[in-house]
Amino acid sequence: MKPLRTLTCTAAIALVALLAGCDGETIIGSDSSGFRHLTLRNGVLTAHSQGNPDAVIDAAGDLRIDNKPIAVTPAQRELLKKYYADVVAIREAGIETGKAGAAMAGRAIGAVASGLAHGDPDSIGPKIDARAKDIEAKAMVICNGIAALRTDQDTIVSALPAFKPYANIEAQEVDDCRSHDHDRVH
């Protein structure tokens, strides 16, 4: 019943993404201790760094650390605006993944009921797998967004050293995201 396991994993991840988007808060990165790298809520992006005050970035590329405005050049502002926009794009991809997961869950229940009612349980897996591939592709958009965000943060640090404590998305997190998606495919 590998297709059902795929369905369960994929639908659960998608539903979590949908719920995260519904309350207006998006969180990127959370380790076993509960540390969050980034939080987007009510149009405000907050970058967290253990042992440091929060950094806040808005859509206009303004940066505040510990509630104090940080002077930025026009080039730095553009980098911060891209960073902000990439977080918003990840949020939107999460919402789309969640919607697709919720829709797939409903269709999967129908496929299971139909397959069992018609005495054809072998028809269930292919129907579910076809929908799961769509969700997996949407989930990969999130992973690619996190990879872009990691590149953004490193570029910002090169141009704006004050941002260094907030550049805490590691390559391993990008790899983990992609490998989890890959695991669900097989």
Side-chain angles (χ1 to χ4, degrees):
M1 288 298 240
K2 190 170 183 170
L4 289 179
R5 187 187 62 165
T6 300
L7 166 68
T8 302
C9 293
T10 305
I13 289 168
L15 188 56
V16 169
L18 176 64
L19 293 175
C22 286
D23 75 358
E25 181 174 78
T26 301
I27 298 165
I28 296 177
S30 185
D31 65 18
S32 60
S33 69
F35 175 71
R36 298 171 177 181
H37 300 314
L38 300 167
T39 305
L40 180 63
R41 183 170 184 83
N42 297 327
V44 176
L45 174 61
T46 304
H48 310 282
S49 173
Q50 292 179 333
N52 293 294
D54 287 344
V56 175
I57 302 168
D58 65 21
D62 292 325
L63 174 65
R64 297 177 70 83
I65 297 177
D66 198 19
N67 275 333
K68 297 175 186 126
I70 304 300
V72 295
T73 67
Q76 292 166 333
R77 181 175 308 284
E78 289 305 311
L79 294 172
L80 291 165
K81 285 167 62 174
K82 182 177 182 328
Y83 188 76
Y84 180 95
D86 283 349
V87 171
V88 170
I90 291 168
R91 178 183 188 279
E92 295 303 316
I95 291 170
E96 288 303 312
T97 303
K99 287 178 182 177
M104 185 182 102
R107 287 186 184 108
I109 291 169
V112 169
S114 175
L116 294 176
H118 292 101
D120 188 15
D122 292 338
S123 71
I124 298 168
K127 290 178 183 176
I128 292 171
D129 283 344
R131 298 287 181 187
K133 289 181 192 284
D134 178 51
I135 293 172
E136 290 162 359
K138 290 180 186 311
M140 187 53 75
V141 171
I142 296 169
C143 294
N144 291 340
I146 292 171
L149 199 58
R150 183 170 188 278
T151 300
D152 292 347
Q153 79 177 10
D154 294 346
T155 303
I156 293 168
V157 168
S158 294
L160 185 63
F163 193 75
K164 185 171 183 166
Y166 308 97
N168 48 29
I169 298 173
E170 301 292 332
Q172 185 63 43
E173 291 171 280
V174 174
D175 293 343
D176 286 350
C177 183
R178 288 179 171 156
S179 71
H180 287 129
D181 187 66
H182 178 72
D183 290 344
R184 285 191 301 272
V185 172
H186 297 294

